[in-house]
Amino acid sequence: MANYWNKEIECMSREDMKKLQDERLVAQVKHVYENVPYYKNLMDEKGVTPDDIKSTDDLHKLPFLTKADLREAYPYGLLAKPLSECVRIQSTSGTTGKRVVAFYTQHDVDLWEDCCARAITAVGGTNEDVCQVAYGYGLFTGGPGLNGGSHKVGCLTLPMSSGNTERQIQFMTDLGATILCCTPSYAAYIGETLKEMGISPDDLKLKAGIFGAEPWTEEMRREIEKSLGIKAYDIYGLTETSGPGVAFECEAQTGMHINEDHFFAEIIDPDTGEVLPEGSKGELVFTSLTKEAFPLLRYRTRDICVLTREKCSCGRTLVKMCKPMGRSDDMLIIRGVNVFPSQIETVLIEQGYAPNYLIEVDRRNNTDTLDINVELTEEQFSDTVKGIQEKEYELAQAIKTILGINPKVHLVSPKSIARSEGKAVRVVDKRKLHD
Amino acid sequence: MLIKQISIFVENKPGRLSAVTKLLSDNGIDIRALSVADTKDFGILRLIVNNPTKACEVLKEADCTVSLTNVIAIGIHDKPGGLSAAMDCLYSANISVEYMYAFISKSEDQAYVILRVENNDKAVEALKENDFTILKAEEVYDM
Ligand SMILES: [Zn+2]
């Protein structure tokens, strides 16, 4: 039997849901127009006023927001509430320019935690459960989001944060954790460590896992389920929209139900911006219907996705999204960190290298690896091995400062990195992240 | 006094070293001495040739990463204890050696050592004071 956190919403008829969304959208557009001059300007430029938005059918009239807008408006430009009413920020990693800082009122924190509570309940979580949260805590949304959801459900919450795997396993066994929340690659790593330690999944009480914040495949799902003896569920979200819990997987494990009473989803053509009919593959766009402090309207996620309203066996009527099938930009997610090749390019130029490089991303022993091949210039060449290794080290450190993750830099001969006509191939992603 | 050594960056890929040596011989450049320092990813090929300026041009045209470095060449048969005596001499003068390699001339039964040090002038002075034979650049190029 399916469990619901909020059956009324999760199983609401399409008609009632639309009515709720329409009402919320109209109020939200008014709130944003009156309180966010940045978005008001975008609307004015397009000649749209809040009066033009009478229902979700009019949503397409509104301008999009992109990461570039967030960058330009950083840090307060999209804030819709006075700071005195805000109680929290969360942030993505990365440089100032690419970093997203999202603000929350208490109401916003509550609705976010509520969304996470729905996700935990959907995988069978109740107040009888012991929920181990092994996502990072702090600015990253993973830990705080699931932590809050777990509290709401009434689980005994183990706020482990990520890392220190042996301690994770000790708490998991000693305190009988039943639900594990972390990134899928960390779940796989815990599974391997268990095996090395000679602990069988039968010795654990774990029954379910909620894994998100990075792309993963059905094959990874099967491996994790086997190594941990659990059912593994996906969860979706991004800091821009609140964090994990925007969408969550149910027992059917065939896509993620979007909490569409809070987040209105559209699929658009990434090139033209045109809204595509249901069932089309395109870029996922979210409109926050209820957030107060940081209510993004028509935010382009760059995730390529398909939505479906096919009846789900769990009984939920919430629209479902598939696992993201790729990106409409060149963003990479490496060890849970968002990485744009342009960030690496900027460092290269600053350090006096030519912007000829090849980024190789792979996954070894369930950990993402980042190798960057950079062409050596005559000026950078010294005739000692030590001299070249120092250059590689310096460059790796400079990149680490910007990205927050440690790359391996390889200096290579000039002109040895293939030039392609038109768009250069800068990234080789050897991980199999999409089925 | 100082000899121009050519250093070439070579990636550890099959055929890279032989491509460089072939390019030089095709252009009539003779190699007098050679050493390779390598790591897992790359190596540095160091050459003493009969015509460093021309060799450099040829290599640059072929998109090699090249640098010219001033090095010292000394004869080590003149003195008992040869090489270690030279090392002692530099050590006493507080001059550190980045690297060195030996070579033998075709004509005479004589061994030479190429030295790359942090301070060439100081090293030459110290070696001279201790009566080491320091080869002139032309002597090496025309060997
Ligand atoms: Zn379902």
Side-chain angles (χ1 to χ4, degrees):
Chain A
M1 204 203 88
N3 298 297
Y4 311 107
W5 174 249
N6 185 340
K7 189 172 182 193
E8 197 193 329
I9 289 286
E10 293 174 56
C11 301
M12 191 176 255
S13 73
R14 179 72 206 118
E15 199 180 313
D16 288 349
M17 178 59 77
K18 179 161 188 314
K19 214 173 133 228
L20 182 66
Q21 290 174 325
D22 289 347
E23 280 167 17
R24 287 180 167 180
L25 179 70
V26 169
Q28 184 72 298
V29 172
K30 197 164 170 285
H31 168 59
V32 171
Y33 192 81
E34 285 168 4
N35 294 291
V36 184
Y38 187 95
Y39 199 77
K40 178 181 181 292
N41 286 342
L42 293 180
M43 284 176 67
D44 290 347
E45 274 169 29
K46 255 196 133 190
V48 195
T49 68
D51 293 339
D52 296 322
I53 312 300
K54 295 191 172 62
S55 75
T56 50
D57 301 330
D58 299 320
L59 188 60
H60 68 273
K61 295 174 184 166
L62 289 174
F64 291 115
L65 281 173
T66 64
K67 207 154 208 152
D69 290 306
L70 267 61
R71 187 156 55 228
E72 205 178 319
Y74 175 90
Y76 300 124
L78 292 163
L79 189 62
K81 279 281 182 185
L83 284 175
S84 59
E85 288 185 43
C86 297
V87 298
R88 171 96 68 85
I89 67 147
Q90 301 288 160
S91 177
T92 57
S93 54
T95 46
T96 322
K98 301 275 182 181
R99 185 183 294 144
V100 172
V101 173
F103 300 83
Y104 302 72
T105 61
Q106 187 56 51
H107 161 271
D108 295 338
V109 172
D110 285 341
L111 82 84
W112 174 27
E113 292 180 351
D114 208 73
C115 288
C116 290
R118 292 183 195 175
I120 293 169
T121 309
V123 308
T126 68
N127 59 3
E128 302 291 329
D129 281 291
V130 177
C131 182
Q132 179 161 0
V133 182
Y135 278 112
Y137 277 65
L139 287 172
F140 177 55
T141 54
L146 271 307
N147 187 86
S150 174
H151 275 229
K152 287 225 160 175
V153 175
C155 304
L156 175 64
T157 309
L158 313 184
M160 302 296 298
S161 198
S162 57
N164 202 337
T165 309
E166 288 195 10
R167 189 179 68 189
Q168 299 274 2
I169 290 170
Q170 199 184 358
F171 274 76
M172 187 180 282
T173 48
D174 292 357
L175 295 174
T178 54
I179 299 173
L180 173 66
C181 307
C182 60
T183 61
S185 51
Y186 194 51
Y189 184 75
I190 293 175
E192 272 183 21
T193 311
L194 280 172
K195 201 174 165 191
E196 278 167 20
M197 290 169 74
I199 301 172
S200 147
D202 299 337
D203 303 333
L204 303 172
K205 290 202 172 147
L206 275 189
K207 60 179 186 187
I210 300 176
F211 307 124
E214 62 186 21
W216 53 310
T217 60
E218 287 302 323
E219 193 188 330
M220 269 183 89
R221 189 204 303 264
R222 283 188 292 276
E223 273 174 29
I224 293 168
E225 291 192 331
K226 203 171 142 220
S227 70
L228 293 175
I230 58 168
K231 285 272 183 194
Y233 301 92
D234 204 352
I235 188 164
Y236 178 89
L238 53 172
T239 310
E240 291 89 325
T241 54
S242 63
V246 169
F248 61 95
E249 222 168 31
C250 64
E251 62 205 37
Q253 293 181 307
T254 52
M256 293 172 273
H257 289 287
I258 296 172
N259 284 314
E260 58 181 327
D261 53 326
H262 295 302
F263 306 102
F264 191 92
E266 296 170 280
I267 292 288
I268 63 158
D269 179 327
D271 296 325
T272 64
E274 188 193 342
V275 178
L276 299 176
E278 207 164 282
S280 313
K281 181 173 160 182
E283 185 183 328
L284 186 59
V285 173
F286 276 114
T287 294
S288 166
L289 298 174
T290 48
K291 278 179 69 186
E292 295 177 340
F294 202 66
L296 301 189
L297 304 181
R298 300 199 87 198
Y299 180 68
R300 294 185 59 165
T301 65
R302 300 289 175 184
D303 281 324
I304 300 294
C305 201
V306 177
L307 299 181
T308 169
R309 288 204 175 272
E310 270 173 40
K311 199 168 156 32
C312 186
S313 59
C314 75
R316 284 180 186 78
T317 50
L318 299 171
V319 66
K320 269 158 85 173
M321 61 178 272
C322 68
K323 269 181 191 294
M325 301 152 94
R327 301 273 309 169
S328 71
D329 63 6
D330 56 0
M331 189 183 88
L332 296 158
I333 302 177
I334 304 171
R335 284 174 235 158
V337 174
N338 298 349
V339 173
F340 290 90
S342 58
Q343 290 174 288
I344 293 172
E345 189 166 319
T346 307
V347 179
L348 293 182
I349 293 166
E350 279 169 8
Q351 300 280 321
Y353 292 89
N356 293 311
Y357 58 93
L358 184 71
I359 298 168
E360 283 181 2
V361 189
D362 206 344
R363 188 166 279 173
R364 288 175 216 133
N365 303 322
N366 291 305
T367 304
D368 294 335
T369 58
L370 171 61
D371 287 75
I372 306 170
N373 293 326
V374 182
E375 288 186 359
L376 188 68
T377 60
E378 204 109 292
E379 298 75 48
Q380 306 273 359
F381 177 51
S382 66
D383 77 319
T384 59
V385 168
K386 194 178 70 191
I388 291 177
Q389 285 173 338
E390 273 168 11
K391 287 264 184 282
E392 289 180 334
Y393 178 77
E394 280 166 19
L395 188 51
Q397 286 299 306
I399 292 169
K400 191 193 167 192
T401 307
I402 297 298
L403 300 183
I405 52 172
N406 223 337
K408 180 124 186 48
V409 168
H410 309 270
L411 291 175
V412 300
S413 298
K415 300 194 185 171
S416 66
I417 294 172
R419 278 23 173 202
S420 56
E421 287 179 20
K423 207 176 169 204
V425 178
R426 298 272 182 232
V427 179
V428 178
D429 197 339
K430 294 176 177 165
R431 300 172 296 182
K432 282 197 202 129
L433 297 180
H434 307 289
D435 289 307
Chain B
M1 265 314 127
L2 298 175
I3 293 148
K4 295 228 175 289
Q5 169 196 264
I6 294 174
S7 303
I8 307 153
F9 180 82
V10 274
E11 278 171 75
N12 278 354
K13 284 182 190 161
R16 286 295 293 148
L17 274 181
S18 62
V20 170
T21 48
K22 183 170 186 305
L23 180 70
L24 293 175
S25 73
D26 287 351
N27 284 277
I29 291 160
D30 291 334
I31 296 171
R32 300 286 179 242
L34 168 157
S35 106
V36 182
D38 68 346
T39 69
K40 192 166 67 61
D41 289 334
F42 66 88
I44 299 172
L45 174 63
R46 300 172 184 133
L47 300 173
I48 305 293
V49 298
N50 59 343
N51 187 343
T53 318
K54 186 179 173 198
C56 216
E57 274 168 25
V58 167
L59 289 163
K60 279 185 183 177
E61 259 169 48
D63 290 329
C64 292
T65 311
V66 189
S67 74
L68 281 174
T69 315
N70 289 326
V71 293
I72 300 167
I74 57 169
I76 55 167
H77 266 205
D78 312 347
K79 261 181 114 73
L83 184 57
S84 70
M87 290 298 105
D88 285 347
C89 160
L90 293 171
Y91 179 74
S92 311
N94 250 329
I95 297 161
S96 63
V97 177
E98 296 264 13
Y99 56 79
M100 60 184 177
Y101 51 98
F103 67 105
I104 299 165
S105 80
K106 282 178 258 176
S107 47
E108 303 147 71
D109 185 19
Q110 171 72 303
Y112 303 97
V113 169
I114 299 286
L115 291 169
R116 162 88 156 94
V117 295
E118 61 180 5
N119 185 330
N120 279 319
D121 294 343
K122 251 174 92 183
V124 168
E125 203 180 305
L127 291 164
K128 270 188 173 167
E129 267 173 29
N130 288 277
D131 298 326
F132 283 94
T133 312
I134 298 176
L135 278 75
K136 293 193 178 70
E138 293 70 34
E139 285 180 82
V140 177
Y141 301 153
D142 301 337
M143 209 168 253

